Amino acid sequence: MDGGAPVIARLETADEPRIELLLWILIWSELAVFTALLAAFTIANVLDPAGFAATRSHLDLGQAGIATAVLLTSGLFAARAPRMRHPSRDLLLAAAGGALFCALKISAYLRELPLAGAQDGRMFEMYVLITGFHLVHVFFGTLLLAGVAWRPSRTAVTTVVTIWHVIDLVWITILPVVYIG
């Protein structure tokens, strides 16, 4: 008799090339979108450095630094997951870090939104577009981490961890471009 585990293993092995291709298409498309957004932000910054500097002075770099540390720590837990026999704990810790990052970013928006009306809106709109789009990725990545933690498989763990690392990579690119200039 053929048990469930060997069938699942065969299915995972058979689907891995397709999943891997889709994963890399997703990753490269996401990187292309964020590259375009950050390039537009950089060009607008060059065209209006004084306006961007005035708006940037209202951003909380300290809290952005804390959020960065939280996200990268979350990435460390995610990185451990594929090497663990039971990856759920590390995936849940990574998801908790993602949730904390979301809370920190929403908190920052609540403080920054009232300041938006006092400044030229172009920089602030681009800031919210870029960081908000990233925040959506963190939120859904957090849900994916938690979902995979519930029913982990080798392919699912590797896939979600790869996606999570791309989300980290995008943030550590956003941070200097948007917050420091």
Side-chain angles (χ1 to χ4, degrees), residues 147-172:
V148 171
W150 180 56
R151 300 210 51 190
S153 71
R154 183 175 48 87
T155 301
V157 170
T158 302
T159 300
V160 75
V161 167
T162 303
I163 291 168
W164 196 246
H165 290 321
V166 171
I167 291 169
D168 281 352
L169 173 67
V170 167
W171 179 254
I172 61 174

Side-chain angles (χ1 to χ4, degrees), residues 25 47 52 76 95 122 138 152 161:
I25 289 170
L47 295 175
F52 274 57
L76 289 174
R122 188 172 355 136
V138 173
V161 167

Side-chain angles (χ1 to χ4, degrees), residues 8-171:
I8 291 170
R10 280 196 310 269
L11 288 175
E12 277 189 15
T13 303
D15 288 339
E16 281 180 14
R18 285 184 288 198
I19 291 170
E20 188 172 322
L21 175 63
L22 291 174
L23 173 66
W24 287 109
I25 289 170
L26 171 70
I27 287 171
W28 284 109
S29 64
E30 290 298 314
L31 290 175
V33 168
F34 277 107
T35 298
L37 289 171
L38 290 171
F41 187 93
T42 301
I43 291 167
N45 186 34
V46 167
L47 295 175
D48 183 17
F52 274 57
T55 303
R56 192 177 276 121
S57 70
H58 295 291
L59 302 180
D60 189 344
L61 182 58
Q63 186 174 8
I66 292 168
T68 301
V70 166
L71 195 60
L72 293 178
T73 301
S74 170
L76 289 174
F77 285 113
R80 288 173 30 129
R83 296 190 311 263
M84 298 295 173
R85 183 172 166 93
H86 302 288
S88 295
R89 177 180 162 269
D90 288 299
L91 291 172
L92 289 173
L93 288 169
L100 180 55
F101 178 91
C102 289
L104 288 167
K105 194 67 212 145
I106 290 168
S107 169
Y109 285 152
L110 292 175
R111 279 192 321 282
E112 295 160 353
L113 283 174
L115 302 173
Q119 300 293 320
D120 174 16
R122 188 172 355 136
M123 188 274 190
F124 194 79
E125 287 171 3
M126 293 180 81
Y127 158 73
V128 171
L129 174 68
I130 293 167
T131 60
F133 190 49
H134 179 264
L135 180 62
V136 169
H137 282 77
V138 173
F139 177 76
F140 283 110
T142 298
L143 294 178
L144 286 172
L145 285 164
V148 171
W150 180 56
R151 300 210 51 190
S153 71
R154 183 175 48 87
T155 301
V157 170
T158 302
T159 300
V160 75
V161 167
T162 303
I163 291 168
W164 196 246
H165 290 321
V166 171
I167 291 169
D168 281 352
L169 173 67
V170 167
W171 179 254

